[in-house]
């Protein structure tokens, strides 16, 4: 859906346009090789955030480079596109590795006739400049299981074989009702569609509250892909989905177990240190003018609550199972300090040249 247009029908998310897999043995045509691929993301996007967290937890930063687009999309030929700008480290408006201004150039390099939508994340083959995949879940699953020796020592099992059926089942419910459900609320074309979507969102949150009251993680005794998929929505809930998408029956902070669970993960390496609330608010409020025609960016909530004690250790389990935490994020990938992510952003960003 074009973000600057009013919704006329219920939102439907298109399947990934390109979904080639990258595996250790290259059995699908693309082998996991250091320095061969570049991951193009927006820090605002929850679908891209899943992959960024997976890459960080698996220690693949040195194997797969990261390119961050501007959170405010540029309108090109009537459609919003993810682009590189000075605000995100590309002074000449082009990614320094791929040499492109807009991610769509990698799509067109792959298929010159492609005329569909362009989404993040995009995994790009650096040598050819071709997009390999924009399938966020498959990229995550493969990074968690198929990158072999390129993953760090002590990387957690994010998609353990014995738990995959349960992870997939939980993830499917969360996707339908919550991950995509908040968008169905925000882009609802009429009252009936909104009422149906918002009921599903809060029914799912209520069920998750009950599920997480007595256990630390969604599936098993340590972090899995199921947690990454849920948390990417939770961290955006009060900042944008509650007000901007009208998901305002309750705030996340009003769910004792869910809010503690979300803080627990925020304070775990790979979660909070990959989150930029300023990018998140700038994207949703500035780009989605069909919902927010003034483009005014909301200032809150105060992000310091993410650092308060959560007490979830008492439930047992450990974040990384038999693994270890990842080391510090690379210097050029560190997000702004949390205190800076709670300021008013409009004036600051307006003053910066695109």
């Amino acid at each position: 859906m074009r973000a600057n247009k009013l919704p006329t029908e219920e939102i439907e998310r298109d399947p990934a346009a390109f979904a080639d897999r990258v595996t250790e043995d290259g059995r699908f045509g693309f082998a996991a090789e250091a320095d061969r691929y570049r991951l193009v993301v927006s820090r605002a996007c929850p679908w891209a955030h899943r992959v960024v967290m997976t890459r960080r937890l698996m220690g693949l930063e040195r194997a797969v480079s990261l390119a961050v687009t501007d959170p405010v999309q540029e309108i090109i030929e009537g459609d919003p596109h993810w682009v590189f700008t000075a605000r995100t480290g590309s002074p000449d408006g082009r990614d320094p590795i791929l040499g492109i201004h807009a991610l769509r150039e990698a799509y067109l390099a792959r298929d010159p006739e492609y005329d569909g939508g362009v989404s993040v994340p995009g995994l790009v083959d650096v040598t050819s400049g071709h997009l390999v995949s924009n399938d966020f879940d498959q990229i995550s699953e493969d990074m968690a299981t198929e990158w072999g020796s390129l993953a760090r020592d002590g990387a957690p099992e994010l998609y353990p074989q014995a738990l995959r059926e349960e992870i997939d089942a939980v993830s499917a419910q969360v996707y339908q009702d919550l991950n995509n459900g908040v968008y169905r609320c925000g882009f609802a074309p009429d009252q009936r569609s909104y009422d149906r979507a918002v009921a599903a969102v809060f029914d799912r949150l209520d069920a998750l509250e009950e599920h997480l009251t007595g256990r630390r993680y969604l599936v098993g005794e340590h972090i899995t892909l199921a947690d990454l998929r849920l948390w990417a929505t939770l961290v955006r809930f009060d900042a944008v989905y509650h007000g901007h998408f009208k998901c305002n029956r309750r705030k996340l902070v009003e769910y004792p177990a869910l809010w503690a669970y979300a803080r627990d993960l925020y304070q775990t390496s790979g979660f909070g240190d990959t989150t930029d609330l300023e990018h998140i608010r700038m994207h949703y409020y500035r780009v989605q003018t069909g919902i927010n025609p003034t483009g005014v960016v909301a200032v809150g909530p105060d992000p310091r609550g993410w650092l308060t004690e959560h007490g979830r250790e008492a439930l047992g389990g450990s974040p990384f199972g038999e693994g270890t935490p990842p080391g510090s994020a690379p210097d050029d990938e560190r997000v702004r300090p949390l205190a800076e992510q709670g300021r008013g952003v409009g004036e600051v960003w307006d003053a910066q040249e695109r």
Side-chain angles (χ1 to χ4, degrees), residues 172-202:
Q173 293 173 335
V174 170
Y175 173 85
Q176 173 64 29
D177 296 337
L178 187 58
N179 299 144
N180 200 42
V182 294
Y183 284 85
R184 289 189 289 113
C185 292
F187 290 98
D190 54 55
Q191 190 68 48
R192 180 175 295 181
S193 298
Y194 167 77
D195 289 344
R196 184 167 52 244
V198 79
V201 165
F202 286 95

Side-chain angles (χ1 to χ4, degrees), residues 320-332:
F320 306 103
E322 296 181 1
T324 58
S328 300
D331 290 344
D332 60 352

Side-chain angles (χ1 to χ4, degrees), residues 52-64:
V52 173
M53 288 188 283
T54 305
R55 170 180 172 270
R56 172 120 172 78
L57 291 169
M58 298 303 296
L60 293 170
E61 294 102 323
R62 294 183 180 179
V64 184

